Amino acid sequence: MGNLLCCCVQVDQSTVAIKERFGKFQEVMEPGCHCLPWFLGSQLAGHLSLRLQQLDVKCETKTKDNVFVNVVASVQYRALASKASDAFYKLTNTRSQIQAYVFDVIRASVPKLNLDDAFEQKNEIAKAVEDELEKAMSAYGYEIVQTLIVDIEPDERVKRAMNEINAAARLRVAANEKAEAEKILQIKKAEGEAESKYLSGLGIARQRQAIVDGLRASVLGFSENVPGTTAKDVMDMVLVTQYFDTMKEIGASSKSSAVFIPHGPGAIRDVTTQIRDGLLQASTHQ
């Protein structure tokens, strides 16, 4: 950095040198070549960088809801050329001084916030740290360019709990959506079944009406073509014929369920009477 040769010293770019005479500050030397007559008591006390520097500070504190977190703040600062003497002489350890102020502000700000609020208000915390540092460090010849809160890291168990809470909330929403979808399906299915039964009922009603009309036509036609027969005789014969046709179909199917009905010579009249009365009553109500 500085090179003492023939009473000359070199100061690099973005750097200033502090010149003393007999141990007392004399001047700040800008970048370039300077005469340093050491035989007259002048000497180079040291160099001061004007480049932007960064300090990362990790501070452990707790939130209002008693969750311990590690807050990582990144402070960007630099020495002011106009106050180079203050920056060189007033502070022994600049980084330790900045770190102390960061700790003080963070431990005063974060305990006022809940954990969720601390994540949401990172910018406000960073602004509070920057304002406090700017006010304090300007007296020592330093400028605070920017302060960032780069990370807020709670305990690993707290992070797992937060993830589980989030997962449970999402599962609850998914379950509600699934239940709503199933509800819609059940409603649509019930509407379809109701419509199907309604249409089936109409079909059965029309079928029965057609059977009644057909039986009526058969009875009337038979009575007219066969003299001496009454409508009751024809109706009995038709009903008995249909009864035996039904029994034949039930017996012909190997997979049909067994149907037990009264059967015998004496029971046929009862069956005929019951069927005829039912059909005649249905025909009367049409």
Side-chain angles (χ1 to χ4, degrees), residues 14 17 26 37 54 67 103 111-112 116 121 144 154 170 197 204 245 268-269 274 282:
S14 299
Q26 186 175 16
Q54 179 167 310
V67 177
F103 275 21
K112 299 177 181 179
D116 292 338
Q121 300 183 28
I144 304 301
R170 293 181 182 274
K197 290 179 180 179
I204 292 174
D245 288 341
I268 294 178
R269 179 176 297 278
Q274 292 175 14

Side-chain angles (χ1 to χ4, degrees), residues 215 218-219 233-243 245:
L215 289 175
S218 297
V219 170
D233 297 333
V234 177
M235 189 65 182
D236 291 342
M237 183 182 66
V238 171
L239 292 177
V240 171
T241 301
Q242 288 186 342
Y243 172 76
D245 288 341

Side-chain angles (χ1 to χ4, degrees), residues 158-261:
V158 176
K159 289 196 291 186
R160 285 199 301 268
M162 293 174 66
N163 290 333
E164 289 174 0
I165 292 172
N166 186 272
R170 293 181 182 274
L171 288 174
R172 184 166 60 251
V173 172
N176 289 336
E177 294 295 333
K178 183 179 180 181
E180 190 66 24
E182 291 179 351
K183 175 183 176 182
I184 294 174
L185 289 176
Q186 292 293 337
I187 292 175
K188 293 299 181 182
K189 182 179 179 181
E191 291 177 351
E193 290 179 354
E195 185 67 18
S196 175
K197 290 179 180 179
Y198 172 74
L199 296 176
S200 176
L202 289 178
I204 292 174
R206 292 173 181 174
Q207 179 187 23
R208 290 176 179 175
Q209 180 64 40
I211 291 174
V212 171
D213 293 341
L215 289 175
R216 184 188 299 112
S218 297
V219 170
L220 293 176
F222 196 89
S223 299
E224 293 175 357
N225 294 327
V226 180
T229 60
T230 64
K232 179 179 179 302
D233 297 333
V234 177
M235 189 65 182
D236 291 342
M237 183 182 66
V238 171
L239 292 177
V240 171
T241 301
Q242 288 186 342
Y243 172 76
F244 283 111
D245 288 341
T246 302
M247 294 296 295
K248 180 180 178 181
E249 290 180 1
I250 293 174
S253 178
S254 61
K255 296 183 179 181
S256 64
S257 301
V259 178
F260 296 91
I261 59 176

